[in-house]
Amino acid sequence: MRLTSLAALLILALAAHPTVAGEVDAALPDYAPTDGMSASLVAMGADTFNNLMTFLAEEFQGLQPQVRIDIVGKGGTTAWYGLMHGADLGMAARLFTEKEVASFRDQFGYPPTAIAVAMDALAVIVHPDNPLTHLTLEQVDAIFSSTRKRGGAAVATWGDLGLGGGWVDTPILARGRNSASGAYGFFKFVALQRGDFAPTVRELPGSAAVVAAVKQNREAVGYVGAGFPLDGCRALPLVAVEGDPVAPGADTVRAGTYPLGRHLYLYLNQKPGTRNEPVRAFLTYVLSKAGQRIVVKDGFIPLDAELAGVQLKLLE
């Protein structure tokens, strides 16, 4: 994905985002450009990052004109694959698995470096006409899994979830991501407690496809990153085990009260004792006030200065 002028697209995209993000920490550092830096970088991985990375890369290129960043967002598993095959950055909405880390270590002799750059949450979305007010994780598991490890009863219609009227016998059409997606893995691990997805869940190739499917079908339900534009859809508050429903938001994700919160990571191949200066400069920008402002504008949750400082130390 070549970087072009995206000012108009940015305005439209930001208008469509849900209000998940919080305020930027004033204690975050400023970014100081480096003279004479030149590079052509490739970032590959989760399509959850597509808009965010495009905007970050464009703003960074305004500060470092000779550094070009090409973005290839095809799913979370391609972050590991790309990093193994020469990509400069792997975009992942989850931590690499033990198997992925072991394979990387076998090839390079050291583990990949994970840099948290933002926080996000998976949102369970429905059509705006759907009157459902919230779901429990037990119900989410029952909708999307065949194993129902949370102990809920099987559900097939919206009436099974308590809706009345014309919704009683309306079948639930579950939509989700394919297995290449970090969202798929995270949802399976957390919401389904490592259970199996039901064969009735239609797997779609990207977040935009899930949003479109729910937008076009009143009876559909899906899951996507809460920072992704939810144009024509509505995110449902969730109940973890007991208590009140909790909506995805900066405060609830940071506090851990929203049950499907997660970090977004940029992975790099950093041999101990060496530094890729263009990659380090870009990540330093992302973790600065300017970079975290873009995180907020694109609907994600920014890191505070303390957590950003921990990430910056990993680049030293």
Side-chain angles (χ1 to χ4, degrees):
M1 180 175 180
R2 285 281 188 259
L3 293 179
T4 57
S5 178
L6 293 170
L9 291 177
L10 176 58
I11 292 171
L12 291 173
L14 299 184
H17 274 291
T19 55
V20 173
E23 297 295 325
V24 172
D25 190 340
L28 285 165
D30 294 316
Y31 176 72
T34 301
D35 293 336
M37 182 173 289
S38 177
S40 180
L41 307 177
V42 174
M44 182 181 292
D47 69 339
T48 299
F49 274 86
N50 280 355
N51 285 342
L52 175 61
M53 279 292 288
T54 299
F55 302 142
L56 284 167
E58 184 179 64
E59 292 297 319
F60 179 71
Q61 192 170 346
L63 299 170
Q64 305 281 181
Q66 301 305 313
V67 179
R68 187 185 72 196
I69 304 175
D70 291 340
I71 299 149
V72 184
K74 293 187 176 180
T77 58
T78 63
W80 171 83
Y81 177 87
L83 211 61
M84 292 283 287
H85 293 85
D88 300 282
L89 292 165
M91 307 180 296
R94 60 167 176 82
L95 288 169
F96 282 0
T97 65
E98 291 181 4
K99 183 178 180 180
E100 288 169 335
V101 172
S103 295
F104 187 96
R105 189 191 294 272
D106 288 345
Q107 179 165 324
F108 295 103
Y110 50 87
T113 300
I115 305 296
V117 296
M119 298 182 74
D120 185 28
L122 284 189
V124 178
I125 60 173
V126 293
H127 192 279
D129 290 348
N130 190 316
L132 196 68
T133 59
H134 65 275
L135 285 170
T136 66
L137 283 191
E138 183 179 280
Q139 291 171 322
V140 171
D141 183 38
I143 292 168
F144 287 95
S145 82
S146 58
T147 46
R148 302 197 307 277
K149 290 197 170 186
R150 291 184 177 273
V155 298
T157 70
W158 288 104
D160 293 332
L161 296 174
L163 296 189
W167 290 90
V168 171
D169 297 318
T170 300
I172 297 171
L173 303 182
R175 303 292 182 256
R177 296 297 310 280
N178 57 25
S179 58
S181 163
Y184 174 102
F186 181 84
F187 197 79
K188 177 182 174 72
F189 186 86
V190 178
L192 308 189
Q193 293 189 326
R194 303 189 184 186
D196 297 326
F197 278 94
T200 52
V201 179
R202 181 177 298 174
E203 296 183 3
L204 299 172
S207 299
V210 176
V211 171
V214 175
K215 180 180 180 180
Q216 294 164 10
N217 296 280
R218 295 173 70 248
E219 60 270 37
V221 58
Y223 64 89
V224 294
F228 195 85
L230 302 185
D231 181 35
C233 299
R234 181 170 61 87
L236 290 174
L238 301 178
V239 179
V241 178
E242 58 185 16
D244 296 327
V246 180
D251 292 340
T252 59
V253 171
R254 285 200 183 105
T257 55
Y258 182 73
L260 297 183
R262 60 180 179 169
H263 283 92
L264 301 183
Y265 298 93
L266 289 177
Y267 274 86
L268 64 151
N269 183 341
Q270 179 174 266
K271 184 178 181 179
T274 67
R275 296 200 308 194
N276 183 325
E277 290 299 340
V279 169
R280 183 176 180 275
F282 176 67
L283 289 169
T284 300
Y285 166 75
V286 173
L287 295 168
S288 72
K289 277 199 289 285
Q292 292 298 295
R293 288 191 189 106
I294 299 297
V295 167
V296 170
K297 288 179 180 178
D298 200 42
F300 295 102
I301 301 166
L303 305 187
D304 60 26
E306 181 179 1
L307 183 53
V310 172
Q311 309 311 305
L312 287 169
K313 287 186 178 298
L314 296 174
L315 299 173
E316 295 178 353

